[in-house]
Amino acid sequence: MEHIYKKIRALRVQQELTLKDLSEKSGFSVSFLSQVERGNSSLAITSLQKIAECLGVPITYFFEVKEDVTYHTPIEKRQTLQIEGSPVKYIRIGGNFPDRALEPLLNVLPPGQMKHVAFQHPGEEFYYVVKGCVTIVVDGTEYHLEQGDTIHFPSSLLHTWYNPSADEEAEILSVLTPVIFRS
C-alpha cells in the first residue's frame, strides 16, 4: 500500500495542489489526506476512487508497477532461472524494457543431460554454441553442434535439445522470440 500513498502525494504535488485544494475537491479532511499520504491511515477502495477522480487518473494507476528499465546487464546482475524438473540453467543476459521482442539467454546444459520433451510455439530461435556440444532436434532431424556452430529455426517446428557429452557441460547463447521470461 505504501506505493499507493506515494503516488497520491506525487500526483498532488505534480499538479501543484495543496492538501487543502485536494480536500476541497474530494470532500476529505486535510488531516485525513495528510495521514493517507504519510501511510498512517488505511484507505477504502471507494476513497481511493474519489481521490483518483480528483487527480484525473483511473484508479488502476495506483496499482500499476513501473517496470525496471535496464539496457546494460553486468555479469553480477544476471538472473539465473531454472524450470522445475529441468537440469538446464537459463541465464538472462539481455536488457529489460517495455515491448522488447528478443530474449537473449546463456543456457547451461549439464553433462549427459537427456532429451527434453519436444515442444513448439510461435516465434524464432537462434543458438550459438559457446562451449561444449549440443544436439538440437528440429522437426525430427538431429543437428549435432560443436563450439562455434549455430542454428536458427522457426519455433513453430517441434524441437528439443540435449547434451550428449558424458563429462562436459555445454554453454549455448540463444536469442528467442517471443520473450519468455519477464522481470
Side-chain angles (χ1 to χ4, degrees), residues 12-157:
R12 180 182 61 76
V13 170
Q14 179 185 349
Q15 294 178 19
E16 299 180 351
L17 296 172
T18 64
L19 282 171
K20 186 174 188 289
D21 295 333
L22 185 55
S23 171
E24 290 170 1
K25 287 177 88 171
S26 66
F28 298 124
S29 72
V30 170
S31 172
F32 172 74
L33 292 171
S34 176
Q35 288 178 12
V36 165
E37 285 187 2
R38 290 190 322 259
N40 295 335
S41 179
S42 58
L43 189 60
I45 197 76
T46 52
S47 300
L48 182 59
Q49 177 63 40
K50 181 69 176 169
I51 291 170
E53 288 170 9
C54 294
L55 294 172
V57 295
I59 193 169
T60 55
Y61 170 84
F62 297 107
F63 300 100
E64 294 170 356
V65 177
K66 185 177 179 184
E67 194 169 334
D68 184 25
V69 174
T70 57
Y71 302 119
H72 173 236
T73 308
I75 195 165
E76 66 273 3
K77 297 269 185 169
R78 291 182 183 165
Q79 288 180 300
T80 300
L81 307 163
Q82 207 161 355
I83 298 170
E84 190 174 330
S86 171
V88 178
K89 293 178 186 169
Y90 301 91
I91 303 166
R92 292 199 58 231
I93 58 174
N96 188 45
F97 50 90
D99 301 324
R100 67 187 173 96
L102 301 176
E103 182 77 86
L105 299 165
L106 183 61
N107 309 283
V108 181
L109 284 69
Q113 181 256 322
M114 302 306 289
K115 282 185 185 177
H116 281 289
V117 174
F119 53 97
Q120 63 194 82
H121 50 88
E124 293 180 54
E125 302 191 23
F126 171 84
Y127 295 91
Y128 171 84
V129 180
V130 176
K131 177 181 136 189
C133 63
V134 64
T135 300
I136 298 181
V137 183
V138 180
D139 205 24
T141 303
E142 286 196 3
Y143 299 91
H144 185 73
L145 285 73
E146 300 282 338
Q147 183 175 338
D149 289 343
T150 63
I151 189 168
H152 183 194
F153 58 90
S155 304
S156 58
L157 299 174

